[in-house]
C-alpha cells in the first residue's frame, strides 16, 4: 500500500476511557475519508480529557474535525465550544452527549456546533453521516466566506479606481493628479507600492522602450 498522502487529524474531547476507545474504533471503521480527501488518507486521532487539554491541543495542531463531549469532567461542553469559537477556531465541531436532550442540541447548534450526536446510540453508520455532513457544511461555509471576501475586495478596488479616475480628471496639476490617483488605487487594491514607466519609442522604427519614471 502506498504511504498516506494526506493526514486527517481529529480531536476528541472525552474523559471516559471506555467511550474514547469505542469512539476511536467507530471513527476508523467506515467514515469514508477517501471520498473527501486523497486516496490512502491516514486518520490521526488525538484525545483531550480536560478543558485545558483542548485549549493546548488546538493551539499546537490544526485539526479537520473536533468531537466535543457535553460533559468533560467538571467543564460544560457548551462553554468550551463558545470559548473556542470566540478564539477564532472555525473547524467543524460535533457535540457528544450521553442523553438525547433536544434542548442541549439546540443550545449546541446556537453556540456554533456543526452537529450533535448521542453517545449511547452511536454506530459507524450514523457517525459517518455526521462526519460527511460536518465536512460538507464546513466546506460550504469556507466557500461562502471566500466569495464574500472576494466581492468585498472587488468592490473596494472598483471604488478606488473610480476615485482615482476622478482625480485625474479634476486635479489641474498633472504630476499631483497622477500621484494622488496612484495612492488611491494602491490603497484600494491593498498594494504597498506602484511604479510608473515612461514610454520611449525608437525615433526610427517606432519600437517601444520603457524606463522607470
Amino acid at each position: 500500500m502506498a504511504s498516506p498522502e494526506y493526514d486527517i487529524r481529529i480531536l476528541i474531547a472525552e474523559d471516559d476511557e471506555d467511550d474514547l476507545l469505542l469512539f476511536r474504533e467507530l471513527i476508523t471503521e467506515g467514515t469514508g475519508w477517501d471520498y473527501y480527501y486523497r486516496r490512502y488518507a491516514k486518520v490521526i486521532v488525538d484525545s483531550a480529557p480536560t478543558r485545558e487539554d483542548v485549549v493546548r491541543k488546538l493551539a499546537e495542531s490544526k485539526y479537520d474535525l473536533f468531537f466535543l463531549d457535553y460533559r468533560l469532567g467538571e467543564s460544560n461542553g457548551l462553554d468550551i465550544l463558545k470559548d473556542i469559537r470566540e478564539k477564532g477556531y472555525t473547524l467543524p465541531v460535533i457535540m457528544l452527549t450521553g442523553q438525547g436532550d433536544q434542548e442541549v442540541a439546540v443550545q449546541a447548534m446556537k453556540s456554533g456546533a456543526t452537529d450533535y450526536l448521542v453517545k449511547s446510540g452511536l454506530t459507524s453508520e450514523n457517525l459517518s453521516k455526521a462526519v460527511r455532513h460536518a465536512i460538507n457544511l464546513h466546506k460550504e461555509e469556507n466557500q461562502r466566506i471566500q466569495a464574500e471576501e472576494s466581492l468585498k475586495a472587488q468592490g473596494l478596488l472598483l471604488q478606488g479606481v473610480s476615485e482615482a479616475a476622478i482625480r485625474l480628471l479634476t486635479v489641474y496639476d498633472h504630476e499631483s493628479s497622477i500621484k494622488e490617483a496612484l495612492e488611491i488605487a494602491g490603497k484600494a487594491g491593498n498594494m504597498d507600492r506602484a511604479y510608473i514607466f515612461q514610454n520611449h519609442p525608437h525615433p526610427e522604427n517606432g519600437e517601444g522602450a520603457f524606463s522607470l519614471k
Side-chain angles (χ1 to χ4, degrees), residues 12-24:
I12 305 175
E14 173 62 69
D15 57 354
D16 186 291
E17 289 295 331
D18 292 334
D19 285 348
L20 180 60
L21 179 61
L22 174 61
F23 208 71
R24 284 178 181 272

Side-chain angles (χ1 to χ4, degrees), residues 30 48 66 83 85 109 133 169:
F66 179 30
D83 184 42
R85 290 307 191 208
M109 301 303 283
H133 176 66
L169 294 174

Side-chain angles (χ1 to χ4, degrees), residues 48-200:
T50 68
R51 182 172 186 163
E52 292 73 23
D53 289 325
V54 169
V55 174
R56 179 174 55 84
K57 291 281 188 178
L58 290 177
E60 291 176 350
S61 303
K62 182 178 180 180
Y63 291 94
D64 300 286
L65 197 59
F66 179 30
F67 290 94
L68 174 60
D69 194 358
Y70 175 64
R71 292 295 181 188
L72 191 65
E74 298 181 357
S75 300
N76 185 303
L78 293 176
D79 293 335
I80 297 175
L81 178 57
K82 292 177 183 177
D83 184 42
I84 66 172
R85 290 307 191 208
E86 289 175 356
K87 283 182 168 61
Y89 293 105
T90 61
L91 78 168
V93 178
I94 298 178
M95 183 71 74
L96 303 170
T97 184
Q99 300 178 1
D101 190 336
Q102 292 302 314
E103 180 60 29
V104 172
V106 172
Q107 293 178 18
M109 301 303 283
K110 287 182 178 180
S111 299
T114 312
D115 207 343
Y116 172 90
L117 289 173
V118 180
K119 289 195 291 184
S120 60
L122 275 179
T123 65
S124 60
E125 182 179 356
N126 61 24
L127 182 59
S128 297
K129 290 180 179 179
V131 167
R132 290 194 293 269
H133 176 66
I135 292 175
N136 278 333
L137 284 182
H138 187 58
K139 286 184 176 181
E140 291 173 1
E141 179 65 13
N142 283 340
Q143 291 172 354
R144 181 189 65 79
I145 293 174
Q146 291 174 4
E148 289 180 353
E149 290 177 348
S150 177
L151 287 174
K152 182 179 179 180
Q154 291 177 20
L156 290 174
L157 181 59
L158 288 174
Q159 181 180 353
V161 170
S162 176
E163 292 179 4
I166 292 174
R167 290 300 176 92
L168 288 173
L169 294 174
T170 58
V171 177
Y172 179 75
D173 183 76
H174 185 62
E175 294 292 335
S176 297
S177 66
I178 292 178
K179 181 179 180 181
E180 292 180 15
L182 286 175
E183 288 178 352
I184 294 172
K187 184 177 180 180
N190 197 27
M191 297 177 284
D192 60 359
R193 66 188 63 187
Y195 299 95
I196 299 177
F197 289 89
Q198 187 169 1
N199 185 17
H200 302 285

